[in-house]
Structures are given as C-alpha cells and as structure tokens.
Amino acid sequence: MVKECLWGENGLKNQFSSLKWQEYGTDIVLILFEFYVNPIPYLRGNLKEIGSYRKKEKSIGIPTILDNENFFRLNENEQRNFLNEKIVAKLVLVKEKVKRNKPDFNIDGLITDVKKICGEKASS
C-alpha cells in the first residue's frame, strides 16, 4: 500500500517529478523523505522531527512515521492528502532549520510549488 502511494502510477514520485533542485538554488541538492512504516517503539522514540542539514552532501533527511493511527486507517484519498500535508509541513520545518545557515536555496519557492502540486488541501 505504501509502495503504491510513493512509487505507483499516481504516487508521490510522479507527482513531484517536475521539481528540479537546480531551480531552487545550489546549497540543497537532496531532501530525502524517510518513511518509517510501523516503527518499533525504540526507533519511534528516537526519530528527530527533521534531520540535520549535511552541508558536505547538500542534503537533509526528513523522517515521517506511517502507522495505523495516522495512515493505514485512512482511505486512499485521505492517505494521499495526509502525505501531501505532511510534506508541506516538513518543508516548513526545513525552512526554519536551514535559515540560520543562510543557504543559497529558495525554500519559499519550493514550498509554493509543492502546495500547487498538492492542491489547496495542503496548507502550512
């Protein structure tokens, strides 16, 4: 079910394929969304809301937990909305996290473009 939402024909991979990092600056090349499906309690308790900015790799990791409470009990449309809203919310956290580093990265432009792709239901 998760694979279909992420990599299926109507999945997030295709939904966001038009976004190219070069259009937003040079200091962040990769924003990695890390999906944890029903993580064990130890892992759940030790996940940060957002990973550290890795200047050398020009990347940042964003963990997201998917479980019965927030994902699996939803219908397909609600699952997509949940993922879209979560992505926008996490990008807002990225903005707060990296702003002190003053990177060459237009995070506001990325958030705006992601909201357009996700539709009006994804709001910060």
Side-chain angles (χ1 to χ4, degrees), residues 21-90:
W21 67 267
Q22 297 93 335
E23 297 174 11
Y24 302 100
T26 60
D27 284 345
I28 296 181
V29 174
L30 178 67
I31 298 175
L32 178 63
F33 284 88
E34 304 161 344
F35 293 99
Y36 293 87
V37 179
N38 293 321
I40 59 174
Y42 172 78
L43 181 59
R44 180 185 296 266
N46 287 302
L47 284 176
K48 296 179 180 179
E49 191 159 24
I50 190 160
S52 299
Y53 171 63
R54 297 175 202 97
K55 191 172 186 174
K56 217 174 185 185
E57 298 172 1
K58 298 184 177 186
S59 67
I60 192 163
I62 302 174
T64 301
I65 294 173
L66 302 178
D67 60 17
N68 288 331
E69 292 180 30
N70 67 7
F71 187 76
F72 294 109
R73 66 178 175 79
L74 305 174
N75 67 40
E76 186 177 334
N77 193 37
E78 292 171 330
Q79 289 173 343
R80 291 190 192 289
N81 288 338
F82 168 80
L83 290 173
N84 289 338
E85 290 170 5
K86 185 60 83 171
I87 287 169
V88 171
K90 293 285 188 162

